[in-house]
Amino acid sequence: MFVFVFHLNSVGIISFAPAKLGYSGVAFFFVLSGFLLAWTDRQGQGASKFYLRRFARVYPSHLVVMLVALCLPTGVGESGPLPTLMNVLLVQAWAPDFAYTYSVNGVAWSLSCEVLFYLLFPFIVAALRGLSVRVLVVVGFGLFAVVSSAVLATTMFDAGPAVEAIRYTNPLVRLPEFVLGVCAALAMRSGWVPKMWHGAVLLAVAGVGFVAVSDKPAGDVWGTLIFLAVIVGAAQADCTRPVRIMQAKPLIYAGEVSFGFYLVHQLVIVHSVHLLGTSAAVGALAFLASVLCAIALHHGVERPANKALLSRFGGRRA
């Protein structure tokens, strides 16, 4: 929803200052992705099985939405043989040019980052598994601090378009967010119990950071600290005293279709504006249409394709 509101703001449907920070919602996705994969990791599952499960979960929906985007009269980003090939291979985020990074279906650049995360995850978790909490803290925050310092430094001067693309969408630049999630999950799995002051420190640093540097993509840096505190706090609560509302079936179902919602929402917004203008009613209609498309994608593509691929290539334990 944070990213959805950001895209509503970017096309003029709403004018709401905090919505300009909605781009940082992707950082939440990256931290959560690392946390959940490490939380559910089982020794002995093998890299090949892990890769198959990730491919079966993500790629079919991406491919279908990409094909739909190519057939629509108003695209989100540049199309053509090279951008299309880059989207098929999910390498568009490596291009230091937003014209290619945001090509065809703009939001898919984050999946291009996830491909790198997935490829590295078996090696990352193998290297970090069994380390002390102190070492995990040093590794996670150390890597994040080094890369984030470089990103923040580029906001101090007038960076060119190539630097702007690299500091926001390059998979290596976004990797520390994923690693932070991995380190947090492994720490909790080893028995570490987060304290209230841990989250307070992260929130305080983020608050001071927002005041000091707020230009894009600084929101990703400070937002990552907030998201990490929220994710770890929610996980700890779920392990001790589960919040009843988080077990509500409508919310669980919303989580299941949220990937489809993310894939389709920008295309829906752009075409809604193209056809109907930029009124608030168009924004509400775009939200409803995105939900319906997400449900159709989830049940018509994501679930059956995932099941078929795992059954065909996953062996008996799929």
Side-chain angles (χ1 to χ4, degrees):
M1 286 304 302
F2 208 19
V3 178
F4 178 80
V5 171
F6 170 74
H7 285 133
L8 288 183
N9 185 84
S10 67
V11 297
I13 290 181
I14 62 172
S15 181
F16 183 53
K20 295 179 181 179
L21 291 172
Y23 67 87
S24 63
V26 179
F28 179 88
F29 171 55
F30 289 157
V31 177
L32 182 64
S33 178
F35 187 93
L36 290 178
L37 289 178
W39 186 262
T40 59
D41 177 65
R42 292 179 176 83
Q43 286 184 274
Q45 74 167 331
S48 60
K49 288 187 177 180
F50 172 78
Y51 294 148
L52 173 62
R53 289 176 183 275
R54 292 295 87 206
F55 179 86
R57 171 73 173 82
V58 171
Y59 197 78
S61 294
H62 158 67
L63 182 62
V64 168
V65 176
M66 185 199 75
L67 293 174
V68 170
L70 289 171
C71 296
L72 293 174
T74 304
V76 169
E78 185 174 327
S79 59
L82 181 56
T84 300
L85 177 62
M86 295 175 74
N87 276 262
V88 169
L89 300 177
L90 280 176
V91 296
Q92 68 269 37
W94 292 96
D97 187 340
F98 283 135
Y100 292 97
T101 303
Y102 295 153
S103 59
V104 187
N105 183 21
V107 299
W109 72 266
S110 63
L111 302 186
S112 184
C113 291
E114 285 285 333
V115 168
L116 175 68
F117 305 164
Y118 294 159
L119 288 174
L120 295 180
F121 175 76
F123 307 100
I124 292 173
V125 77
L128 298 178
R129 188 189 291 117
L131 297 180
S132 68
V133 173
R134 181 171 299 180
V135 174
L136 290 172
V137 169
V138 171
V139 170
F141 283 106
L143 179 62
F144 178 74
V146 169
V147 176
S148 296
S149 296
V151 169
L152 293 174
T154 64
T155 66
M156 305 301 179
F157 57 88
D158 187 17
V163 173
E164 291 182 359
I166 291 171
R167 72 186 184 187
Y168 180 58
T169 59
N170 185 273
L172 288 175
V173 173
R174 306 309 296 258
L175 180 62
E177 299 162 16
F178 178 81
V179 173
L180 264 181
V182 172
C183 290
L186 292 178
M188 291 188 67
R189 285 185 58 166
S190 70
W192 171 69
V193 179
K195 302 293 191 298
M196 187 72 71
W197 69 268
H198 294 150
V201 169
L202 292 179
L203 296 178
V205 172
V208 173
F210 269 119
V211 173
V213 185
S214 59
D215 293 337
K216 186 178 180 180
D220 282 328
V221 175
W222 313 126
T224 294
L225 300 179
I226 297 173
F227 300 144
L228 179 65
V230 170
I231 291 168
V232 169
Q236 178 61 25
D238 194 46
C239 290
T240 55
R241 191 182 306 167
V243 181
R244 190 170 296 179
I245 191 173
M246 295 303 292
Q247 299 175 343
K249 290 184 178 180
L251 286 181
I252 293 174
Y253 183 73
E256 291 174 350
V257 302
S258 62
F259 176 55
F261 182 89
Y262 177 76
L263 284 179
V264 304
H265 81 274
Q266 190 179 22
L267 288 171
V268 171
I269 290 173
V270 168
H271 286 83
S272 297
V273 170
H274 178 70
L275 294 173
L276 303 172
T278 57
S279 67
V282 173
L285 181 63
F287 172 73
L288 178 61
S290 296
V291 170
L292 294 176
C293 289
I295 292 173
L297 186 66
H298 177 67
H299 291 283
V301 177
E302 184 180 338
R303 290 180 62 177
N306 184 68
K307 182 178 180 180
L309 286 170
L310 292 182
S311 297
R312 176 66 178 84
F313 301 104
R316 293 182 179 179
R317 298 180 63 184

